Amino acid sequence: MGLVIGIVPGMGTSFIMIATYGILSTWDPSQIIAFYVAVTMSSQFAGSVSALIFGLPGEVTSQPALSERHDLQLNGQIGTAVQHTALSSLIAVCFASGVTVLLWKWLPSFVYVLRTEVKLLLLCLILCIIGTAGRNTVRTNYIMVAVGILIGLVGFKYQGQLILTFDQWWLSSGIPITVLLLGFIAVPSILNFPKVEFDAESIEIKPHSVAWASVTRGSVIGSFVGLVPVIGNAISSNVAWLVERSKRSTTALQRVSSAEAANNSGNVMVLLPLLMFGLPIVASEMILYSLISSKGWSHVDLTTTVLLQIYLAAMVSSLIGWALCGPVVKHLVIFIQKNYSILVKFAVAISTISVLYLGYQAHNTWFYLSALAICVVIGVLLRHRDFTPLLIGSLIAAPLVSAGQVVYQLYF
């Protein structure tokens, strides 16, 4: 599943999490997290496949692969690069998993890290960063953050009273994050990427030695940059790529391998704030957090066993992706080219059914459908805008207000 959504231009982890929301809601939290990690890891390296083969980057993390595509094509190394990005992903996941386990064991010894004041500070830091990051203007970002916070506070119980419901019962449960993600990101992202033809038979896998130095550098860079709130996992591959470019002796294959290693190690490290502090800082994590928190999961429930299960899923999915990245990629590309429009329609249909199911569970079907329709219209009309600030603002609104209230009571 991760391979498919990674290769199809415009799809991503957020889309598949929305599409399978109804099914995942019946699973245990640890199983949901393991599924998320497996899909994320396999789709991340498959995203570079989309950039290398189709010449279309699904996300900013694929920009290095797109930039190196011309040189790789001239050298007949597109297929080899596909294989090497998969192997780099596997190595990086193993490296970053070890680093994360060490940090998880080490950080809690500093009691202040878990204090409410620190949580409030981190939330404010996230808001400041997303206000200045992305392709929107700073003013647009902060407007979206403010709107997102207002949306996130709909139905929030403040001092025993529901706020921003305007005495309407159907607003008491709030506006679901899945509807926002589907309308503002998933559907518009698919519309932004047209079908592209490519001769899959021309993909040749040639043996080549692993660029260990480049992959190691990329893994280290991704492990540190991935911890930067909100934008860490998005910029890790580009940072590693720029570092490799500064070394004039590196080849295109080495540079793309390092970038992909940083991409995957960064996506492992971005799990740390969610697992340790309950702070989702990317769009797909918002859906994950919505799912596991609805099942009563909290970051205090994280144990060594659960953590090892999560990273075992990451390693296994990366290993499977590497094993399948040769001949299977050719057949997968051919299948996607022949059935692209059907796959897109199927994905949209499944996602809509998932929203219907959630609305039915909440006894609020018409509101969910109406909200989805409104979000899709806004998302399509403004599809060149980055809605990440709005989404993050809506998700952290409740913990921001709760933490602020505690700090106010403690010090004022």
Side-chain angles (χ1 to χ4, degrees), residues 2 16 26 88 158 212 268 271 279 307 309 313 340 350-351 412:
I16 203 63
T26 63
S88 300
Y158 182 74
W212 285 106
V268 170
L271 287 168
L279 294 176
L307 193 65
Q309 287 175 348
Y340 185 81
I350 291 295
S351 301
F412 301 98

Side-chain angles (χ1 to χ4, degrees), residues 363-386:
H363 305 289
N364 212 355
T365 305
W366 285 111
F367 170 63
Y368 274 55
L369 278 178
S370 301
L372 176 62
I374 293 170
C375 290
V376 167
V377 171
I378 295 174
V380 170
L381 291 176
L382 302 177
R383 59 182 176 272
H384 299 298
R385 300 283 186 183
D386 182 6

Side-chain angles (χ1 to χ4, degrees), residues 62-141:
S62 301
Q63 185 61 42
L66 183 67
S67 299
E68 300 294 346
R69 183 174 182 268
H70 178 68
D71 288 345
L72 291 169
Q73 223 172 4
L74 288 178
N75 297 323
Q77 292 182 315
I78 291 290
T80 304
V82 168
Q83 189 178 44
H84 276 244
T85 53
L87 182 57
S88 300
S89 301
L90 175 61
I91 296 170
V93 166
C94 295
F95 179 87
S97 297
V99 173
T100 308
V101 172
L102 290 175
L103 287 176
W104 177 70
K105 283 288 189 182
W106 175 66
L107 285 177
S109 61
F110 296 89
V111 180
Y112 66 85
V113 172
L114 304 177
R115 291 179 63 90
T116 304
E117 297 94 319
V118 176
K119 183 176 182 179
L120 179 62
L121 183 63
L122 284 172
L123 290 170
C124 291
L125 176 62
I126 289 172
L127 291 179
C128 290
I129 292 176
I130 64 175
T132 56
R135 62 178 183 266
N136 300 325
T137 63
V138 173
R139 179 181 177 182
T140 301
N141 278 340

Side-chain angles (χ1 to χ4, degrees), residues 75-84 87 203-211 253 322 326:
N75 297 323
Q77 292 182 315
I78 291 290
T80 304
V82 168
Q83 189 178 44
H84 276 244
L87 182 57
I203 304 174
E204 294 184 17
I205 305 294
K206 299 177 181 178
H208 200 285
S209 59
V210 177
L253 193 60
W322 171 57

Side-chain angles (χ1 to χ4, degrees), residues 156-209:
F156 177 71
K157 187 173 284 188
Y158 182 74
Q159 295 183 344
Q161 300 240 349
L162 294 176
I163 62 174
L164 298 180
T165 60
F166 309 103
D167 296 324
Q168 303 297 317
W169 70 268
W170 39 273
L171 286 174
S172 59
S173 58
I175 300 174
I177 188 67
T178 50
V179 168
L180 299 178
L181 283 162
L182 185 60
F184 290 146
I185 290 185
V187 174
S189 67
I190 288 179
L191 294 179
N192 278 340
F193 289 91
K195 180 179 178 180
V196 177
E197 297 295 338
F198 186 84
D199 183 11
E201 297 300 331
S202 67
I203 304 174
E204 294 184 17
I205 305 294
K206 299 177 181 178
H208 200 285
S209 59

Side-chain angles (χ1 to χ4, degrees), residues 48-59:
S48 65
V49 175
S50 179
L52 289 168
I53 293 179
F54 294 111
L56 289 173
E59 297 180 11

